[in-house]
Amino acid sequence: CLYLTVIYAVKMKKQGFAGNAIVAFLTASPIIAVAIEAEAAFIQLLLPAGSAFLITCMRELAKDCEDIAGDARVNSKSIPVTKGIVFSRYCILGLTVTLTCFTLAMRSFADHTGLYYGIVVGGVSLCTGVAYYYVTKNNFSRASTLYKIAMLLGIGGLWLSR
């Protein structure tokens, strides 16, 4: 992880989705490390790590949209700079739909309580849906905040459901 952090800071920060994917992986990596240490089953690892990865990708893309002028000034190759805001919205929509489908599909594999479904499926889906609404209104700051809340709800819901 330290190696990826250095690579990101030195080389990948301005490289668009590749840099965002590194940040998303680094966000999910503590979950992966804990699951490996606890010898958790792959399926127990997939939901929280996959959700953290997808939500972080959405948030990073929203932040890139928010800072499109600054990124363009420093020749960043972020998706909003290279492909535009409209394309970026479609990417965020695709990630939102993927997260929702992923979370619902995991329901059949994971053994969780009703608390999990209320907080994780309901709360995270609501936050990411409302965040996408703000993305369509070019309010990327509010969307970014909602993605943070979705991440906290996801982690909190998993913790409470144990």
Side-chain angles (χ1 to χ4, degrees), residues 4-50:
L4 281 177
T5 304
V6 171
I7 293 296
Y8 172 76
V10 172
K11 190 169 186 160
M12 301 302 291
K13 189 171 185 167
K14 295 181 183 180
Q15 297 304 314
F17 186 75
N20 291 352
I22 289 174
V23 169
F25 176 77
L26 290 170
T27 301
S29 64
I31 299 167
I32 295 167
V34 168
I36 290 170
E37 182 64 28
E39 297 179 3
F42 176 73
I43 206 72
Q44 291 173 314
L45 158 75
L46 190 60
L47 180 63

Side-chain angles (χ1 to χ4, degrees), residues 94-113:
L95 289 166
T96 303
V97 170
T98 301
L99 176 68
T100 302
C101 292
F102 174 73
T103 305
L104 292 172
M106 290 305 295
R107 166 186 156 178
S108 59
F109 297 106
D111 181 30
H112 293 291
T113 65

